[in-house]
Amino acid sequence: MKKKILVAYFSATGTTKKAAQALAEAAHADIYEIKPEVPYTKDDLNWTDRKSRSSVEMSDQTYRPAIADQSAEIENYDLIFLGYPVWWYVAPTIVNTFLESYDFGGKTIVLFATSGGSGFGKAAEKLKSSCADAAVIKEGKILNGKHSKEELAAWVEKVRNQ
């Protein structure tokens, strides 16, 4: 039996959204956007300003930005591709908020990210503490640039069969 797939993602500037949409299309998956209750502005995302919202949030790994809704219906999915932009070598803390808002017990979560230059860092390790022990979190792919539908579908099939 094929696993039912959800592509959930957080995107601050639209880059991760494009990757998530391409992945969801290739996987024939449902898609869910993790939206902050208070949207990020360009100034909020200025990582060179130590007082910007994103800098303040990322300097405190216990901070949990509120999400706008909790309608992802995680219980309906076996496999979740979870995407985000890499911030300070990890996932933005709003991804922790998302993971802490649902029961991911028995689910497989495969990470994908977009990045201006860094890899996953310790994201999988740092996110694990935000979900049930019975959840499996796997490092997936950095999806910068354009990936063909065939490439993404092959990756999804490989993950699905693991």
Side-chain angles (χ1 to χ4, degrees), residues 15-103:
T15 303
T16 306
K17 180 177 186 168
K18 288 177 190 169
Q21 289 171 329
L23 180 58
E25 184 180 333
H28 304 288
D30 294 334
I31 193 165
Y32 175 80
E33 182 176 4
I34 302 164
K35 293 180 184 176
E37 193 171 80
V38 177
Y40 290 88
T41 67
K42 185 178 179 181
D43 288 341
D44 290 339
L45 300 172
N46 181 0
W47 61 271
T48 62
D49 177 359
R50 291 180 17 194
K51 293 183 181 182
S52 74
R53 178 177 165 197
S54 61
S55 296
V56 169
E57 289 176 5
M58 295 307 291
S59 68
D60 178 2
Q61 288 296 298
T62 64
Y63 185 79
R64 298 294 185 261
I67 55 177
D69 70 73
Q70 294 182 7
S71 62
E73 298 181 357
I74 296 301
E75 67 277 4
N76 295 332
Y77 302 94
D78 307 299
L79 178 59
I80 295 104
F81 285 88
L82 179 57
Y84 54 86
V86 174
W87 288 4
W88 289 264
Y89 304 99
V90 293
T93 55
I94 193 167
V95 176
N96 296 85
T97 305
F98 174 73
L99 290 171
E100 292 165 4
S101 298
Y102 297 94
D103 179 4

Side-chain angles (χ1 to χ4, degrees), residues 105-127:
K107 310 291 182 190
T108 299
I109 302 166
V110 179
L111 304 178
F112 70 95
T114 56
S115 174
S118 63
F120 280 102
K122 296 185 180 210
E125 178 185 316
K126 298 233 181 221
L127 292 173

Side-chain angles (χ1 to χ4, degrees), residues 2-3 5 23 26-27 79 81 108 110 138-141 149-162:
K2 283 196 171 187
K3 294 177 181 176
I5 300 173
L23 180 58
L79 178 59
F81 285 88
T108 299
V110 179
K138 298 179 179 183
E139 190 175 294
K141 286 184 175 281
K149 188 174 180 178
E150 294 75 23
E151 281 179 294
L152 292 173
W155 177 51
V156 168
E157 202 55 35
K158 181 179 175 185
V159 168
R160 181 184 273 156
N161 293 322
Q162 290 179 339

